[in-house]
Amino acid sequence: MAKAQSPPVARQLSVRAIMEAILHKGPTSRAMLAKLTGLSRQTTTQVVLELERDGWLQVSGRMQGPVGRSAPTYELNPRAAYVLGIRL
């Protein structure tokens, strides 16, 4: 049976940075995520699209800048995971 490989550490750190930025900032565009995390725009786009495809992020609206097209904003998908806490 083949063992599933985990993503490289750099990818894991990129995913974590994106998720934490959205968690703390709220709905955010990819350009703003790149600024907040210090990741390149290409890496940010790849990670965001991967997280959206896997169901962790969802498009929450659009942001219009002073020039150019409007950009989608992303937020955490509330249906992606559930947490249960039990105090014994």
Side-chain angles (χ1 to χ4, degrees):
M1 180 175 222
K3 184 177 179 182
Q5 291 186 341
S6 61
V9 174
R11 177 61 75 173
Q12 292 175 11
L13 293 174
S14 298
V15 168
R16 181 182 172 134
I18 297 284
M19 294 294 278
E20 284 184 352
I22 293 175
L23 181 64
H24 295 296
K25 181 76 172 162
T28 312
S29 68
R30 290 190 308 248
M32 183 57 73
L33 286 170
K35 286 182 182 180
L36 291 170
T37 61
L39 298 170
S40 71
R41 285 185 181 221
Q42 180 179 2
T43 298
T44 301
T45 296
Q46 289 173 349
V47 171
V48 167
L49 293 178
E50 181 181 310
L51 289 170
E52 183 182 17
R53 183 194 69 222
D54 293 344
W56 291 101
L57 296 180
Q58 63 186 14
V59 174
S60 63
R62 298 196 77 73
M63 178 183 291
Q64 181 65 46
V67 180
R69 305 183 312 212
S70 62
T73 56
Y74 295 88
E75 68 181 359
L76 297 177
N77 182 353
R79 294 185 207 104
Y82 295 96
V83 177
L84 173 66
I86 300 175
R87 184 174 180 181
L88 299 176

